[in-house]
Amino acid sequence: MAGKGMWTMLLLAMVTACTPAPPQPATMQVKTTGDGSIPKNETISLDDDQHAAIANLDPELLAAMRKAAADAKLKSVEFRVTSGWRSAEYQQRLLDEAVELYRSEEEARRWVHPPEKSAHVTGKAIDVGPTNADDWLIQHGSDYGLCQAYANEMWHFELLTTPGGQCPQPQSNAG
């Protein structure tokens, strides 16, 4: 009889070990949007893989940014993402809003590319803040292949050189 009891306990232990644990309640609310938008005056972490703005970035760009952010943190500089990957629809909406703001498509395009020209839509561009993070990246970004792409946008970075290479001169603007 003792043998049967031991087998029953062993079988019960095996079944329990193979039964998935019930889902645990989320400890935090994840803000995920399908178009990559980040609310105005808000930022997200480079580690927010649940957000489309981060999840859809080019893997090489994201890896370079994360390495740079880790090194910057050693100097008490924190990177925050203000924009990353964007859907074509969201990019068009940003351009439309810029046209309305500047009352000129030509002026708007100095700041916002149409979807077919935007590196954000392909996941190959990221906007970072605050200003001390931008300054740090402008000074050290080439060590990671990261370069400021536009002179009028100190927050906009792309992989434009090999790590340790020299960044090209930033274009004057997006236009």
Side-chain angles (χ1 to χ4, degrees), residues 59-74:
E60 289 181 30
L61 173 64
L62 182 55
M65 285 298 302
R66 284 179 171 165
K67 181 157 180 27
D71 290 349
K73 193 172 190 171
L74 297 174

Side-chain angles (χ1 to χ4, degrees), residues 31-49:
K31 293 182 181 178
T32 304
T33 58
D35 65 4
S37 61
I38 298 170
K40 193 172 190 158
N41 298 321
E42 289 187 27
T43 63
I44 61 174
S45 165
L46 277 168
D47 296 321
D48 191 350
D49 292 328

Side-chain angles (χ1 to χ4, degrees), residues 11-84:
L11 183 58
L12 182 60
M14 289 173 57
V15 168
T16 303
C18 294
T19 304
Q24 298 297 311
T27 56
M28 63 179 235
Q29 179 82 20
V30 177
K31 293 182 181 178
T32 304
T33 58
D35 65 4
S37 61
I38 298 170
K40 193 172 190 158
N41 298 321
E42 289 187 27
T43 63
I44 61 174
S45 165
L46 277 168
D47 296 321
D48 191 350
D49 292 328
Q50 298 303 306
H51 198 293
I54 302 298
N56 294 316
L57 282 175
D58 174 77
E60 289 181 30
L61 173 64
L62 182 55
M65 285 298 302
R66 284 179 171 165
K67 181 157 180 27
D71 290 349
K73 193 172 190 171
L74 297 174
K75 301 292 184 183
S76 301
V77 176
E78 181 185 7
F79 291 8
R80 298 296 299 171
V81 178
T82 59
S83 189

Side-chain angles (χ1 to χ4, degrees), residues 70-158:
D71 290 349
K73 193 172 190 171
L74 297 174
K75 301 292 184 183
S76 301
V77 176
E78 181 185 7
F79 291 8
R80 298 296 299 171
V81 178
T82 59
S83 189
W85 170 85
R86 301 174 187 158
S87 70
E89 296 78 18
Y90 177 44
Q91 185 69 28
Q92 183 63 52
R93 193 167 65 247
L94 290 173
L95 178 58
D96 293 345
E97 290 170 2
V99 169
E100 191 173 314
L101 175 68
Y102 295 110
R103 304 207 180 268
S104 154
E105 186 162 341
E106 182 180 333
E107 181 63 20
R109 285 186 179 218
R110 292 184 66 226
W111 300 95
V112 183
H113 274 309
E116 63 276 6
K117 287 186 70 182
S118 174
H120 283 284
V121 173
T122 61
K124 296 200 179 280
I126 190 166
D127 295 347
V128 178
T131 304
N132 69 333
D134 299 328
D135 288 338
W136 193 93
L137 265 175
I138 289 167
Q139 292 175 33
H140 304 283
S142 64
D143 295 341
Y144 311 89
L146 298 162
C147 303
Q148 178 187 2
Y150 304 109
N152 69 331
E153 295 184 8
M154 72 181 295
W155 54 83
H156 180 104
F157 294 88
E158 300 177 24

